[in-house]
């Protein structure tokens, strides 16, 4: 009877314990679900607020940039197509009266505008640059005082249409906008120089609280009325760059919940690589929402997370392993040796978890037990963990050696500069591998900073394979900002378009020699930017194989590998550009030949008429034609006329004078001279030569 009562009590006890467990699980589930639901509602409200705020920001930026561009474009078009100024562009020679009228009109445009500093006009026919600057005079392009302006005007294909170009001038800085006609044989162009103060005020005119800033694609300041904004942009530029890679046109990212750094909205201006930036501060946009979210949601979430983590830890690390062993002993289904193996595995697993915990502590600035500042850290690659541990113990009684995937992480307590020298001597003389040594860390902040620095040195290692020991101080030698210049990349692209692979590779080596001294983030951004430009060119050339800069950065072995990859790639692109240009020239030559065959008999027919038909410069068109046919357009016209004259002499009785007029020569004497020079005899002698039987 007592035995049955004990069994019933045991069942009741087990059921009660199971009930308690289910109740705890049920309540915890409800609590977590409520917290997650509340957090989701807050996140939805936050995103909606930011989307609305960003939409208003985008509309303002678009309206402002469109207004500025339209004002400048309207002024440029009015000047460009004014009849007197058109004479400057189109006429090779002008009378004094015509030139005076043109300069008067040009001066009226500048003086009546509140934003024009000066205007420069280039005439390809006279190779002359005209300027409205009172202190400077117009001159041939080779003698003009502003060489940079001459380069822009004479090579408009290298500069975007109506895109701001910031240049230095006698007054400080000016913004220049290039205006020219697309698809026109005449290569004249107009350069509008805008007053810097006016342009900056227009850029920032939409800012109500001085909270707008304009920067270029590398984060360099273009315009701002708040100096603190540029410092904040510099601190957040790495995050902004990451977002620009994902969404290059416009977007935003939220401010950090655990730091004072703001989030940012950005929008790229039309016709330039400049970005409008505006900080996102939730306490300004929605202060009530931030207060509730910080006070309630985060508090409940952290509390729930701590409870869940603690419960899971006890369940996985303590209760389940011990319960499994107890059940095995109770049922007697395992030997003592197997149980000891399980206990040993449990201890090993706990040790591995402790290593992970120590690693996380060091990453967040928390000291391991018995450690004191100052501390140094060492990351070792391809070196046994035991050897490092032996060296560390000989230098300090308090050390910690943690294995990693490629080597080990070593932390040494209570160090000095002398300790670092001893460590470098030991690693350099007796061990193989690569070692990265931090500076002395005196605070938790130093510890976090040094750990991040060592990881960056590991990433940069492929650029410095000759160094087996690298110290954190090496990062101080890196460029503080990216050394990539978009103009140098444009030179590279221009060389490729011209089919000059050797020139392009030399330019790549020049760019690489600069960016290899950058921080790793800037180095990656530079390669991705170059890869994007090469991708665009490959698409333009119709190439199927595209550049993959990300794949190159996944596991680069050394700089030689990158150079070899780029040399092959640049050769392929240059060869494709050559082939495309050759195809275009062949088509153009065929079109010219067809046009000559149709119009050769006209007395006024000339290479200039052909150039006007194709809307191209006559000298340039002749050079293009000669690359394919190895003769000038004039020679081609004479060749067709002489061939037709020979046919008429052989098959008709018409006089030589009449034949000369029929094939396009109104000067008969010139026809006779040219015929004898080309055919070796006079027309009469040619006609008297018997025709061989067919």
């Amino acid at each position: 009877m007592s035995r049955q009562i004990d069994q019933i009590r045991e069942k009741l006890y087990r059921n009660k314990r199971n009930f308690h467990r289910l109740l705890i699980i049920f309540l915890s589930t409800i609590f977590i679900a409520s917290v997650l639901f509340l957090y989701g509602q807050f996140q939805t409200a936050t995103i909606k607020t930011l989307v609305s705020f960003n939409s208003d920001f985008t509309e303002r930026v678009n309206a402002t940039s469109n207004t500025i561009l339209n004002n400048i474009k309207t002024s440029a078009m009015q000047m460009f197509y004014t009849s007197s100024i058109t004479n400057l562009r189109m006429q090779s020679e002008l009378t004094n009266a015509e030139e005076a009228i043109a300069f008067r009109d040009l001066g009226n445009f500048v003086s009546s505008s509140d934003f024009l500093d000066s205007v420069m006009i280039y005439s390809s026919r006279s190779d002359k640059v005209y300027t409205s600057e009172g202190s400077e005079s117009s001159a041939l392009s080779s003698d003009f005082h502003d060489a940079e302006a001459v380069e822009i005007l004479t090579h408009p294909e290298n500069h975007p249409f109506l895109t701001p170009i910031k240049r230095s001038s006698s007054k400080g800085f000016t913004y220049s906008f290039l205006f020219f006609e697309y698809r026109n044989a005449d290569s004249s162009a107009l350069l509008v120089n805008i007053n810097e103060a006016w342009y900056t005020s227009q850029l920032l005119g939409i800012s109500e609280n001085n909270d707008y800033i304009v920067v270029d694609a590398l984060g360099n300041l273009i315009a701002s009325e708040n100096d603190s904004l540029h410092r904040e942009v510099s601190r957040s530029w790495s995050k902004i760059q990451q977002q620009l890679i994902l969404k290059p046109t416009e977007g935003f990212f939220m401010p950090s919940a655990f730091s004072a750094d703001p989030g940012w909205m950005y929008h790229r201006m039309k016709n330039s690589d400049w970005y409008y930036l505006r900080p996102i501060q939730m306490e300004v946009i929605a202060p009530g929402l931030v207060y509730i979210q910080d006070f309630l949601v985060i508090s409940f979430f952290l509390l729930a997370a701590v409870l869940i983590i603690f419960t899971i830890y006890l369940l996985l690390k303590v209760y389940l392993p011990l319960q499994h062993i107890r059940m095995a002993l109770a049922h007697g289904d395992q030997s003592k040796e197997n149980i000891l193996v399980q206990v040993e595995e449990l201890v090993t697993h706990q040790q591995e978890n402790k290593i992970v915990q120590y690693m996380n502590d060091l990453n967040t600035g928390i000291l391991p037990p018995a450690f004191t500042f100052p501390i140094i850290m060492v990351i070792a690659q391809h070196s046994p963990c035991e050897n490092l541990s032996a060296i560390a113990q000989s230098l300090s009684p308090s050390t910690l050696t943690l294995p990693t995937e490629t080597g080990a992480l070593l932390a040494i307590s209570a160090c000095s500069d002398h300790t670092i020298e001893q460590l470098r001597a030991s690693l350099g003389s007796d061990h193989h591998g690569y070692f990265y040594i931090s500076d002395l860390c005196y605070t938790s902040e130093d510890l976090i900073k040094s750990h991040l620095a060592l990881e960056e040195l590991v990433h940069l290692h492929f650029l410095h394979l000759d160094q087996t020991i690298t110290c954190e101080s090496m990062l101080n030698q890196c460029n503080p900002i990216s050394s990539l210049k978009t103009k140098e990349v444009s030179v590279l692209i221009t060389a490729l378009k011209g089919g000059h692979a050797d020139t392009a590779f030399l330019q790549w080596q020049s760019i690489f020699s600069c960016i290899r001294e950058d921080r790793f983030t800037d180095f990656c951004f530079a390669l991705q930017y170059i890869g994007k430009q090469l991708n665009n060119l490959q698409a333009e050339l119709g190439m199927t194989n595209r550049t993959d800069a990300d794949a190159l950065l996944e596991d680069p072995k050394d700089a030689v590998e990158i150079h070899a990859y780029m040399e092959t790639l640049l050769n392929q692109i240059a060869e494709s550009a050559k082939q495309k240009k050759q195809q275009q020239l062949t088509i153009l030559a065929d079109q010219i030949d067809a046009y000559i065959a149709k119009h050769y008999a006209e007395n006024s027919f000339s290479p200039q008429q052909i150039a006007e038909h194709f809307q191209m410069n006559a000298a340039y068109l002749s050079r293009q034609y000669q690359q394919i046919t190895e003769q000038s357009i004039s020679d081609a016209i004479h060749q067709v006329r002489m061939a037709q004259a020979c046919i008429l002499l052989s098959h008709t009785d018409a006089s030589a004078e009449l034949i000369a007029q029929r094939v396009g020569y109104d000067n008969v004497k010139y026809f006779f001279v040219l015929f004898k020079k080309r055919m070796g005899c006079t027309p009469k002698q040619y006609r008297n030569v018997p025709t061989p039987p067919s």
Side-chain angles (χ1 to χ4, degrees):
M1 184 68 179
S2 60
R3 184 177 179 181
Q4 292 177 350
I5 292 173
D6 291 339
Q7 290 177 350
I8 292 172
R9 286 177 178 176
E10 184 177 359
K11 288 182 179 180
L12 290 174
Y13 175 76
R14 289 179 179 175
N15 290 336
K16 184 178 180 180
R17 186 169 58 181
N18 291 335
F19 172 78
H20 288 165
R21 291 174 179 171
L22 291 174
L23 181 62
I24 292 172
I25 294 173
F26 177 75
L27 293 177
S28 300
T29 303
I30 292 177
F31 177 79
I32 295 171
S34 301
V35 170
L36 292 177
F37 174 78
L38 184 60
Y39 182 76
Q41 295 299 312
F42 279 120
Q43 286 295 96
T44 301
T46 302
I47 295 298
K48 287 182 178 179
T49 302
L50 287 177
V51 168
S52 175
F53 200 64
N54 186 64
S55 177
D56 177 67
F57 168 75
T58 300
E59 291 176 0
R60 289 189 179 190
V61 170
N62 281 334
T64 298
S65 58
N66 286 338
T67 300
I68 298 173
L69 185 60
N70 288 337
N71 288 339
I72 296 172
K73 184 177 181 180
T74 300
S75 297
M77 288 181 65
Q78 289 176 347
M79 288 184 284
F80 196 82
Y81 294 109
T82 298
S83 59
S84 60
I85 296 177
T86 301
N87 288 336
L88 284 183
R89 297 189 296 104
M90 304 297 294
Q91 300 296 332
S92 58
E93 293 184 1
L94 291 172
T95 65
N96 293 335
E98 290 175 334
E99 191 167 306
I101 293 172
F103 277 108
R104 182 200 63 193
D105 293 341
L106 192 61
N108 289 338
F109 275 114
V110 175
S111 61
S112 62
S113 172
D114 57 354
F115 59 86
L116 287 177
D117 272 344
S118 63
V119 177
M120 299 174 182
I121 300 171
Y122 173 68
S123 171
S124 62
R125 298 180 185 274
S126 62
D127 192 28
K128 192 172 183 180
V129 179
Y130 301 93
T131 178
S132 66
E133 298 167 290
S135 59
E136 302 290 346
S137 60
S138 304
L140 293 174
S141 61
S142 58
D143 301 327
F144 194 66
H145 70 279
D146 192 340
E148 185 179 8
V150 172
E151 193 278 332
I152 296 172
L153 287 165
T154 56
H155 299 88
E157 68 277 5
N158 296 336
H159 303 277
F161 180 79
L162 282 182
T163 296
I165 305 170
K166 189 173 183 179
R167 305 192 303 117
S168 59
S169 67
S170 59
K171 299 179 181 179
F173 287 98
T174 186
Y175 289 92
S176 298
F177 292 79
L178 181 64
F179 187 90
F180 56 92
E181 286 185 328
Y182 286 104
R183 302 174 183 174
N184 195 329
D186 178 67
S187 59
S188 64
L190 181 144
L191 193 66
V192 180
N193 299 312
I194 304 299
N195 181 273
E196 180 192 18
W198 179 88
Y199 190 69
T200 302
S201 66
Q202 294 298 307
L203 289 177
L204 301 176
I206 55 175
S207 177
E208 299 175 353
N209 301 312
N210 294 334
D211 56 351
Y212 280 51
I213 182 172
V214 182
V215 300
D216 62 16
L218 300 178
N220 299 319
L221 177 65
I222 300 298
S224 174
E225 294 181 356
N226 189 338
D227 293 337
S228 62
L229 275 183
H230 188 225
R231 292 193 293 270
E232 291 179 358
V233 169
S234 299
R235 287 201 306 269
S236 305
W237 186 243
S238 59
K239 295 181 180 179
I240 296 174
Q241 282 183 319
Q242 294 174 3
Q243 189 68 14
L244 291 179
I245 294 173
L246 299 175
K247 295 182 178 180
T249 304
E250 64 177 65
F252 66 90
F253 61 90
M254 295 177 61
S256 174
F258 302 101
S259 73
D261 292 337
W264 291 93
M265 292 182 294
Y266 63 91
H267 187 79
R268 188 170 66 186
M269 293 177 60
K270 293 183 178 179
N271 285 13
S272 73
D273 285 331
W274 294 356
Y275 287 88
Y276 270 92
L277 295 174
R278 187 178 186 183
I280 300 175
Q281 295 175 322
M282 293 303 298
E283 63 271 15
V284 176
I285 299 174
L289 186 65
V290 173
Y291 175 79
I292 296 174
Q293 183 175 1
D294 291 345
F295 183 77
L296 293 178
V297 178
I298 296 179
S299 298
F300 279 111
F301 185 81
L302 291 178
L303 179 60
V306 170
L307 292 175
I308 293 171
I309 292 172
F310 182 71
T311 302
I312 293 175
Y313 177 82
L314 292 179
L315 182 66
L316 296 179
K317 306 301 181 184
V318 179
Y319 179 78
L320 290 181
L322 294 178
Q323 184 73 5
H324 183 67
I325 295 173
R326 188 179 70 178
M327 291 177 62
L329 289 173
H331 292 84
D333 59 351
Q334 292 188 12
S335 65
K336 182 177 180 181
E337 289 77 8
N338 290 338
I339 294 173
L340 291 176
V341 168
Q342 287 192 2
V343 173
E344 184 177 352
E345 290 177 352
L346 176 62
V347 173
T348 302
H349 186 62
Q350 291 176 343
Q351 289 177 346
E352 291 175 352
N353 290 335
K354 185 177 291 187
I355 290 173
V356 174
Q357 182 62 40
Y358 282 153
M359 188 78 75
N360 293 335
D361 287 346
L362 286 173
N363 292 347
T364 55
I366 300 175
L367 294 183
F371 264 55
T372 58
F373 289 112
I375 293 172
I376 59 172
M377 290 186 296
V378 181
I379 289 182
Q381 285 187 309
H382 315 303
S383 181
C385 187
E386 296 78 9
N387 295 348
L388 283 178
S389 181
I391 292 177
Q393 290 176 0
S394 68
L395 299 175
S396 174
S398 298
T399 62
L400 180 64
T401 307
L402 304 175
T404 62
E405 293 182 358
T406 59
L409 171 65
L410 172 65
I412 306 176
S413 173
C415 296
S416 64
D417 292 330
H418 181 64
T419 308
I420 296 179
E421 294 301 324
Q422 289 181 306
L423 179 63
R424 292 185 63 177
S426 300
L427 294 176
S429 59
D430 300 330
H431 295 84
H432 299 287
Y434 296 99
F435 306 95
Y436 309 91
I437 305 175
S438 74
D439 295 337
L440 286 173
C441 301
Y442 295 94
T443 63
S444 296
E445 290 75 13
D446 291 345
L447 204 60
I448 298 172
K449 174 178 172 293
S450 292
H451 192 272
L452 294 175
L454 293 185
E455 289 183 342
E456 181 165 6
L457 288 174
V458 172
H459 288 310
L460 290 170
H461 168 67
F462 72 96
L463 295 174
H464 308 280
L465 291 177
D466 55 331
Q467 295 182 225
T468 57
I469 299 176
T470 307
C471 294
E472 180 183 346
S473 57
M474 174 192 167
L475 288 179
N476 296 329
Q477 303 172 12
C478 293
N479 298 320
I481 60 175
S482 175
S483 58
L484 177 68
K485 295 180 176 59
T486 55
K487 187 174 183 180
E488 294 184 355
V489 180
S490 299
V491 173
L492 171 67
I493 298 300
T494 301
L496 289 176
K497 288 181 178 179
H500 306 301
D502 294 339
T503 304
F505 185 65
L506 289 175
Q507 182 66 15
W508 154 253
Q509 290 178 317
S510 175
I511 295 172
F512 186 82
S513 66
C514 295
I515 66 174
R516 72 173 296 161
E517 303 301 328
D518 287 351
R519 301 295 289 258
F520 184 68
T521 303
D522 293 332
F523 179 84
C524 293
F525 175 78
L527 278 191
Q528 289 167 342
Y529 177 81
I530 295 171
K532 180 181 177 181
Q533 302 306 311
L534 294 177
N535 255 323
N536 294 337
L537 180 56
Q538 288 171 310
E540 182 181 330
L541 296 175
M543 298 177 66
T544 55
N545 296 329
R546 301 293 178 82
T547 307
D548 189 358
D550 292 333
L552 188 63
L553 287 168
E554 284 180 0
D555 185 24
K557 294 180 174 58
D558 53 33
V560 175
E561 178 182 309
I562 295 179
H563 283 313
Y565 173 84
M566 290 300 295
E567 185 174 16
T568 302
L569 177 64
L570 297 179
N571 284 332
Q572 292 173 352
I573 296 176
E575 184 61 30
S576 179
K578 282 183 180 178
Q579 293 175 0
K580 185 173 182 179
K581 185 175 181 181
Q582 192 74 9
Q583 292 172 357
Q584 293 173 340
L585 290 178
T586 301
I587 294 172
L588 179 62
D590 292 340
Q591 293 173 342
I592 292 173
D593 289 339
Y595 193 77
I596 292 174
K598 184 177 180 182
H599 297 278
Y600 73 91
E602 299 173 4
N603 291 336
S604 61
F605 188 62
S606 66
Q608 182 62 36
Q609 180 180 336
I610 298 175
E612 291 175 356
H613 173 75
F614 287 97
Q615 296 184 348
M616 298 177 69
N617 179 273
Y620 175 76
L621 182 63
S622 182
R623 288 196 300 271
Q624 299 294 305
Y625 181 81
Q626 195 162 4
Q627 286 187 27
I628 296 298
T629 63
E630 297 183 354
Q631 66 175 350
S632 66
I633 294 178
S634 296
D635 290 340
I637 294 173
H638 290 312
Q639 181 177 342
V640 171
R641 286 175 169 174
M642 289 298 132
Q644 189 62 26
C646 290
I647 294 174
L648 294 175
L649 288 169
S650 300
H651 296 85
T652 68
D653 296 330
S655 65
E657 291 78 3
L658 181 60
I659 290 175
Q661 293 177 355
R662 286 184 180 180
V663 297
Y665 293 105
D666 53 356
N667 188 328
V668 177
K669 291 183 179 180
Y670 178 65
F671 169 73
F672 277 90
V673 171
L674 193 62
F675 189 93
K676 186 173 183 179
K677 180 180 179 181
R678 287 181 171 268
M679 307 305 299
C681 61
T682 64
K684 183 177 180 180
Q685 292 171 340
Y686 183 87
R687 172 172 277 171
N688 293 333
V689 175
T691 304
S694 57

